[in-house]
């Protein structure tokens, strides 16, 4: 699976603290740290646009070239995004050796949803598991995995076991049959208000009128008693 790796050029970072980080972000730069390689963690800064361009390529593995140092292969360890604006706030990278297997998160995409019989019948397709941990050599980490849902009927489920792992890649899951990728549920039917509630209210009203009529009758009886008094 030979391919050209993306390269991110960065500068060493010597100023630290929240004030320094805010200043960098104001200049469209992102603070970061690269770990591993048998050396201490190294702080760096790089342009957010350049980082996003590298990550947009979809490759789990790319090269980091710190100013004045040789480029080294790295993978993303962690990203921090702004909770509202969504822009990149900080990034941690992990230096790797190309001949040693690593674990990485890979996105799972659904394919064929528009032709699935259950979807055409109005069923609701839910993408349950959107990424999975895999283990492989850094150069063999796939950009993405694809789950075929084109044959799904209503009440069907697709498990991880239906996805064939690429050569040299192993899924890090105890039991692939227990990992649900997608489900297709019956159409959601909105229940209309039951008229029985209104009917019950009418019945209560009618029953409430009955005692009033009886009271009138009792008054009449009282009048009769008065007559007998005469």
């Amino acid at each position: 699976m030979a391919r050209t790796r993306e390269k991110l050029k960065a500068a060493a970072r010597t100023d630290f603290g929240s004030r320094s980080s805010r200043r960098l972000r104001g200049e469209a730069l992102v603070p970061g740290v690269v770990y591993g390689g048998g050396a201490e963690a190294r702080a760096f800064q790089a342009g957010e646009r350049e980082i996003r361009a590298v990550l947009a390529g979809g490759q789990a593995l790319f090269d980091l070239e710190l100013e004045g140092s040789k480029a080294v292969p790295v993978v993303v360890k962690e990203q921090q995004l702004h909770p509202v604006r969504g822009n990149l706030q900080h990034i941690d990278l992990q230096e790797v050796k190309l001949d040693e297997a690593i674990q990485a998160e890979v996105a799972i995409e659904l394919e064929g949803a528009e032709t699935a019989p259950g979807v055409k019948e109005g069923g609701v397709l839910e993408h349950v598991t959107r990424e999975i941990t895999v283990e492989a050599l850094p150069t063999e980490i796939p950009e993405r995995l694809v789950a075929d849902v084109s044959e799904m009927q209503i009440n069907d489920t697709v498990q991880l076991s239906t996805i064939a792992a690429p050569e040299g890649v192993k899924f890090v899951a105890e039991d692939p049959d227990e990992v649900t990728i997608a489900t297709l549920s019956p159409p959601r039917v909105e229940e209309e208000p039951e008229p029985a509630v209104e009917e019950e209210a009418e019945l209560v009203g009618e029953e409430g009128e009955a005692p009033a009529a009886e009271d009138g009758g009792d008054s009449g009886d009282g009048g009769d008693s008065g007559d007998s008094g005469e």
Side-chain angles (χ1 to χ4, degrees), residues 172-193:
V172 182
E174 292 184 3
D175 187 354
D177 286 325
E178 297 296 325
V179 180
T180 300
I181 303 301
T183 62
L184 215 169
S185 305
R188 292 172 183 157
V189 180
E190 295 184 3
E191 296 184 1
E192 297 181 0

Side-chain angles (χ1 to χ4, degrees), residues 105-111 127-134 142-149 158-163 171 179-182:
E105 297 295 318
V106 176
I108 299 177
E109 297 180 3
L110 304 185
E111 187 176 76
H127 194 172
V128 179
T129 302
R130 296 179 176 272
E131 61 180 21
I132 190 71
T133 304
V134 304
E143 297 179 11
R144 64 190 177 104
L145 296 169
V146 176
D148 184 5
V149 298
V158 170
Q159 311 301 128
L160 178 61
S161 55
T162 64
I163 301 178
F171 295 145
V179 180
T180 300
I181 303 301

Side-chain angles (χ1 to χ4, degrees), residues 58-135:
Q59 297 184 18
L61 177 71
F62 59 94
D63 287 341
L64 173 68
E65 184 179 317
L66 280 178
E67 199 172 31
S69 302
K70 181 181 178 182
V72 295
V74 297
V75 294
V76 176
K77 183 179 177 69
E78 185 179 2
Q79 298 182 64
Q80 294 178 11
L81 303 177
H82 190 280
V84 178
R85 296 191 294 270
N87 56 306
L88 189 60
Q89 299 280 285
H90 190 277
I91 188 168
D92 288 340
L93 304 177
Q94 178 70 49
E95 186 177 343
V96 297
K97 296 181 179 180
L98 300 183
D99 58 352
E100 292 183 4
I102 61 170
Q103 292 187 359
E105 297 295 318
V106 176
I108 299 177
E109 297 180 3
L110 304 185
E111 187 176 76
E114 64 282 353
T115 61
V119 172
K120 289 183 176 181
E121 293 172 11
V124 180
L125 180 66
E126 182 180 359
H127 194 172
V128 179
T129 302
R130 296 179 176 272
E131 61 180 21
I132 190 71
T133 304
V134 304
E135 183 174 291

